[in-house]
């Protein structure tokens, strides 16, 4: 069981074990905002709610220039599993500038892609296909992307990891 830690401004900061989270709460460094009431934690001093999301009482400074490492899963997540070319459900990723022609593994050169478009495009460029991108791919910037461990997000975390609409 893990706990999502939010900065005092509600930005996601990291994931810790629920025991670590409880220590923060007991030391008044954080308070519980979401908990699993069906599974209390037993300690020598009694039962505690099992925290699934905690909020730090003090604001922690986070460097703003952190790089997000590119990954296949990350590209699919950034693009909401939608194909960058046709908008259908994407199950793979595509190099906009093909790797065989010098295309790099970067956030700017990788997009989510459906198998059909991936096969059609093969190692051609967009110009050769006469295709265009539905949006320009970029490195994601929302704080939720910096949190390690959110790949295995728990349902209670959902509302805290998405950027405000
Ligand atoms: Zn497609």
């Amino acid at each position: 069981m893990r706990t999502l830690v939010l900065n005092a401004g509600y930005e996601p900061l990291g994931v810790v074990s629920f025991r670590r989270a409880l220590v923060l709460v007991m030391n008044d460094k954080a308070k519980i905002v979401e908990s699993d009431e069906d599974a209390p934690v037993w300690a020598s001093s009694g039962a505690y709610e099992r925290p699934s999301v905690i909020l730090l009482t003090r604001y922690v400074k986070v460097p703003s220039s952190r790089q997000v490492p590119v990954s296949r899963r990350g590209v699919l997540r950034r693009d909401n599993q939608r194909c960058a070319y046709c908008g259908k459900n994407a199950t793979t990723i595509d190099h906009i500038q093909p790797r065989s022609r010098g295309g790099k593994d970067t956030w700017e050169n990788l997009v989510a892609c459906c198998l059909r478009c991936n096969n059609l495009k093969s190692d051609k460029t967009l110009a050769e296909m006469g295709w265009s991108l539905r949006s320009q791919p970029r490195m994601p910037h929302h704080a939720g992307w910096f949190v390690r461990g959110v790949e295995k997000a728990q349902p209670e975390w959902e509302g805290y990891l998405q950027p405000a609409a």
Side-chain angles (χ1 to χ4, degrees), residues 39-81:
V41 186
W42 292 93
S44 53
S45 45
Y48 292 87
E49 296 171 273
R50 189 183 296 259
S52 53
V53 182
I54 59 170
L55 179 70
L56 295 183
T57 47
R58 284 203 175 180
Y59 202 86
V60 176
K61 269 201 167 176
V62 186
S64 60
S65 58
R66 276 192 286 185
Q67 293 285 312
V68 183
V70 68
S71 67
R72 176 193 155 85
R73 191 196 284 267
V75 169
L76 285 167
R77 185 172 155 218
R78 179 196 64 189
D79 297 348
N80 293 318
Q81 310 240 3

Side-chain angles (χ1 to χ4, degrees), residues 82-90 112-118 131:
R82 294 278 148 211
C83 177
Y85 307 121
C86 74
K88 296 218 175 75
N89 187 46
C113 189
C114 72
L115 287 175
R116 187 171 175 271
C117 290
N118 194 254
W131 287 2

